[in-house]
């Protein structure tokens, strides 16, 4: 990823369970814009723990999310927020409401849910890699557009 450090707005990623796509997005945002860039994530119905496949594919790129704690919307209500990015259709009404309440920009990024992938271990792992890479590419595009 390119180093666009210091150029990212404070972002909240909203998903369904905050166990796959949104934690990946939160970590990849910080990797792109720097660890001090405000970035958090939450789910409308959070899981109790991060998905193991997600932890594995993030580990492949040097990011340890094994201790990630899934969060509710209420837990991020006071987080710095200039931009709300929704990653799951079922979370869209809540994500839009959060953006309105915070006076933040809203975006919906279409990223497939790899947790829905059936098949053997390797097939499932590949689905998670595809989603991880799609999120990383979308963040890179966002960073390029900001610099332009």
């Amino acid at each position: 990823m390119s180093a666009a450090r210091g150029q990212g707005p404070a972002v909240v990623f909203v998903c369904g369970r905050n166990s796959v796509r949104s934690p990946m997005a939160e970590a990849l945002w910080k990797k792109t814009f720097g660890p001090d860039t405000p970035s958090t994530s939450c789910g409308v119905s959070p899981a109790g723990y991060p998905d193991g496949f997600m932890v594995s594919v993030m580990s492949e790129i040097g990011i340890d999310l094994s201790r990630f704690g899934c969060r509710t919307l209420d837990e991020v209500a006071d987080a710095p927020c200039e931009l709300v990015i929704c990653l799951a259709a079922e979370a869209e009404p809540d994500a839009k409401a959060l953006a309105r309440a915070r006076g933040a920009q809203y975006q919906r990024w279409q990223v497939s849910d790899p947790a829905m992938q059936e098949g053997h271990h390797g097939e499932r792992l590949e689905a998670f890699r595809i989603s991880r890479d799609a999120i990383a590419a979308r963040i890179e595009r966002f960073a390029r557009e900001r610099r332009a």
Side-chain angles (χ1 to χ4, degrees):
M1 277 186 205
S2 66
R5 297 188 182 280
Q7 298 177 8
V11 65
V12 175
F13 291 97
V14 182
C15 210
R17 299 190 35 84
N18 192 221
S19 64
V20 178
R21 291 171 287 179
S22 54
M24 287 195 290
E26 175 184 345
L28 291 164
W29 192 267
K30 287 178 181 178
K31 183 174 182 176
T32 301
F33 292 109
D36 295 331
T37 299
S39 174
T40 192
S41 62
C42 63
V44 294
S45 299
Y49 49 87
D51 186 286
F53 284 101
M54 182 275 295
V55 171
S56 291
V57 300
M58 293 303 284
S59 178
E60 291 174 353
I61 61 168
I63 298 174
D64 180 7
L65 291 179
S66 61
R67 291 187 177 93
F68 180 82
C70 303
R71 300 178 208 95
T72 66
L73 280 161
D74 289 341
E75 289 175 289
V76 303
D78 295 326
C81 180
E82 301 167 67
L83 173 63
V84 173
I85 298 175
C86 181
L87 297 166
E90 69 272 16
E92 194 159 21
D94 292 299
K96 283 182 175 179
L98 176 64
R100 273 193 308 275
R102 300 298 303 280
Q105 181 186 10
Y106 174 81
Q107 293 185 13
R108 169 75 165 91
W109 291 2
Q110 184 65 40
V111 178
S112 63
D113 183 358
M116 298 290 103
Q117 174 69 43
E118 295 181 4
H120 62 74
H121 182 84
E123 291 171 328
R124 297 193 66 214
L125 203 53
E126 186 58 23
F128 278 76
R129 288 182 185 119
I130 289 167
S131 291
R132 176 201 63 202
D133 295 348
I135 293 167
R138 185 59 186 93
I139 291 170
E140 281 296 319
R141 188 166 75 234
F142 182 92
R144 280 194 310 276
E145 290 168 358
R146 267 183 83 80
R147 288 189 299 264

